[in-house]
Amino acid sequence: MLVFAADLGSFSACARKLGKVQSAVSQGINNLEIDLDIQLFDRSTRKPTLTTEGERIYECAKAILQQSFELEKVAESIHEKEEKIIKIAVDKAVQTPLFNKALQNFSQQYPYTQIELLTIASTDIVNSFYNDNIDVGIMFSDLAFKHEVEICYVGNIKFYPVCHPSSPLADLSIVNDNSLLPYRQIVLRGEQGKELQQFISFSKKLWWSNAFDSMLSMVEQNIGWAYLPSYMVEEKLKEKKLCKIKVSFDHKPWNLPVDIVTKRGNAKGPALSWLFNELKKSYIKLI
């Protein structure tokens, strides 16, 4: 009553909002003033206005109402069996703008389910299900996946071989696999020392990283060349900050399949089921 009366400018408008008679609102606010021993409204004019003390109480009252609203919504989410928290493991290279949009949509659909997002190399994601109690993983397909997890193929991400404009590779009109041998290659490798089988090592000089953004940074510093996701490098190629290597063995852009992985036998609650389907729709757009 206090908040509505202040916001709407009159006790009668508050009564209409609450479906009560005006006398009930007046009596309710009087009782509150007696309980608090504070005059909340100045009634000396036709339009009751908050006193200085009333303004302080009004701010507290709004906070209490918001907390009450949050409590009710959390209780509703519990009754709907919505999960308290969902832990996601994602390879940095598959954390595309569409992935981030899916999380944004989830935050609006399930505002009372928490998300914990871990950035992990694809080669380490399956193991993380057992070490970190992951609920869902998004990763490049592992040809040696374990049967303890369920795999859902959802799309592909294009990769380009790229180097710094100052690299000798940028000046070659055509590059075969032997031409790459002398030049340092930067390759994805997980913390367990495992590389994805789709990533072929051409060079005898190898550096490794477990994150594609780190690999991109090293290419930008002319440390070596690498296969990197197209969405990470296309703008830099247009700006001539990177160069695409003209390899003879890639007739079309190299596409790596993306899987969404869940632990076999684990039941999905409503929030995880919704997120799973939202992620599937996001990556299918990449095909």
Side-chain angles (χ1 to χ4, degrees), residues 76-91:
E76 286 178 15
S77 72
I78 292 171
H79 286 303
E80 295 296 326
K81 309 298 183 184
E82 295 173 10
E83 300 88 324
K84 178 183 178 182
I85 185 170
I86 294 175
K87 295 184 74 171
I88 306 171
V90 59
D91 190 303

Side-chain angles (χ1 to χ4, degrees), residues 191-204:
E191 294 181 7
Q192 308 299 320
K194 183 181 176 184
E195 299 177 21
L196 280 174
Q197 296 181 24
Q198 297 97 323
F199 286 97
I200 302 169
S201 299
F202 294 95
S203 176
K204 296 299 181 184

